[in-house]
């Protein structure tokens, strides 16, 4: 048993020790804040993007750095995961990218506002958050998968154009890799000629009114590269 004086000394000593540790950790954290958050990269676009994020209550559905709601995906690393080009198209019309799945509101952002939102999310994704969000740690053996489809070698060997890998794979699969919103494109070159593919990418609604395929912001050279690639998928 401790005497009153010993108990008082133990209490005061413990309080002082842990208070000192708390102050040290606080000062150390504040000292590292600027470097770990890349404060030098907080541009005017980043600040405007944060204003748009807060004004539209995006955290009512999404999380950033673990803070927010869990109705929609965490967006801490969304620019790294999806790419700025894909996000730019997605923000135009979320339902068009994932018909029947996404419930995200169409905000009708201007081109400048979309760039500001992307700049903010890009800055957030580069914050040193000690590995947050954690990547899934699931043993491969525990995942039940169906046999991989037999894909002809030319499909796998072909090099995908940059815009295709940034945009198209979000909805379409090639060689078993990609999205499943739209049909797989493994043999699209055997079904349609280059002229049709070019017209389709130029304006999907003109070819098939009511289609869920959005009109992608492609330059003529980018569209030509994708048409050449798709035409070779046979």
């Amino acid at each position: 048993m401790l005497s009153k004086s010993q108990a008082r000394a133990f209490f005061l000593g413990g309080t002082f020790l842990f208070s000192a540790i708390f102050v040290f950790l606080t000062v150390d954290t504040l000292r590292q804040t600027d470097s770990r958050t890349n404060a030098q990269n907080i541009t005017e676009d980043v600040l405007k993007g944060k204003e748009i994020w807060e004004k539209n209550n995006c955290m009512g559905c999404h999380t950033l750095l673990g803070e927010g709601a869990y109705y929609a995906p965490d967006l801490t690393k969304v620019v790294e995961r999806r790419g700025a080009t894909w996000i730019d198209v997605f923000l135009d019309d979320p339902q068009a990218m994932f018909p029947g799945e996404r419930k995200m509101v169409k905000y009708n952002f201007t081109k400048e506002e979309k760039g500001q939102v992307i700049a903010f999310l890009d800055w957030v994704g580069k914050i040193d958050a000690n590995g947050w969000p954690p990547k899934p740690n699931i043993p491969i053996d525990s995942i039940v998968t169906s046999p991989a489809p037999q894909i002809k070698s030319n499909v796998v060997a072909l090099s995908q154009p940059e815009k295709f890998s940034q945009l198209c794979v979000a909805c379409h699969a090639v060689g078993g890799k990609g999205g499943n919103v739209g049909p797989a494109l493994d043999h699209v070159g055997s079904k349609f000629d280059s002229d049709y593919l070019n017209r389709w990418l130029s304006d999907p609604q003109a070819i098939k009114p009511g289609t869920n395929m959005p009109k992608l912001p492609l330059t003529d050279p980018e569209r030509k590269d994708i048409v050449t690639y798709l035409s070779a998928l046979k």
Side-chain angles (χ1 to χ4, degrees):
M1 296 292 290
L2 296 176
S3 64
K4 288 185 177 181
S5 59
Q6 289 175 325
R8 185 183 300 108
F10 182 79
F11 170 77
L12 293 176
T15 300
F16 175 79
L17 174 63
F18 288 103
S19 295
I21 292 174
F22 175 78
V23 171
F24 170 77
L25 292 176
T26 301
V27 171
D28 185 59
T29 298
L30 293 175
R31 181 179 59 83
Q32 299 182 54
T33 297
D34 285 351
S35 61
R36 295 185 63 175
T37 60
N38 299 309
Q40 72 279 5
N41 295 328
I42 301 178
T43 63
E44 188 65 25
D45 280 347
V46 172
L47 295 176
K48 291 290 186 181
K50 184 175 184 292
E51 289 180 11
I52 295 171
W53 173 271
E54 294 175 343
K55 178 181 177 181
N56 292 281
N57 190 32
C58 299
M59 290 186 76
C61 293
H62 297 278
T63 56
L64 280 181
L65 302 170
E67 294 291 332
Y70 290 85
Y71 175 74
D74 178 272
L75 299 183
T76 304
K77 297 286 186 180
V78 67
V79 176
E80 176 185 317
R81 188 171 68 250
R82 288 292 194 178
T85 303
W86 186 91
I87 298 172
D88 183 84
V89 175
F90 177 79
L91 289 175
D92 282 335
D93 190 352
Q95 281 289 327
M97 296 295 280
F98 294 92
E101 296 183 24
R102 297 288 176 177
K103 304 298 182 184
M104 181 170 165
V105 177
K106 183 178 180 180
Y107 288 103
N108 296 314
F109 292 135
T110 64
K111 184 71 176 177
E112 182 181 21
E113 289 173 333
K114 288 191 297 179
Q116 292 166 346
V117 171
I118 292 171
F120 170 62
L121 293 174
D122 184 44
W123 174 76
V124 169
K126 293 176 180 175
I127 292 175
D128 180 0
N130 284 330
W132 181 271
K135 295 182 179 180
N137 184 19
I138 304 175
I140 298 299
D141 294 340
S142 68
I143 302 176
V144 179
T145 59
S146 57
Q150 297 298 315
I151 305 298
K152 292 184 178 180
S153 60
N154 75 307
V155 171
V156 177
L158 290 172
S159 177
Q160 293 182 350
E162 183 179 6
K163 283 293 182 178
F164 186 92
S165 60
Q166 290 177 342
L167 295 174
C168 307
V169 295
C171 296
H172 300 278
V174 174
K177 296 181 179 180
N180 58 6
V181 176
L185 300 177
D186 297 306
H187 307 104
V188 68
S190 301
K191 301 175 183 177
F192 306 107
D193 59 26
S194 58
D195 179 65
Y196 178 89
L197 293 172
N198 184 66
R199 289 187 291 114
W200 173 260
L201 289 174
S202 297
D203 190 354
Q205 290 293 332
I207 305 298
K208 186 179 180 181
T211 181
N212 290 320
M213 170 83 175
K215 184 176 180 179
L216 302 176
L218 301 172
T219 63
D220 289 342
E222 290 169 345
R223 187 171 64 254
K224 181 179 178 181
D225 288 344
I226 294 178
V227 169
T228 300
Y229 171 71
L230 294 177
S231 297
L233 298 179
K234 299 182 179 180

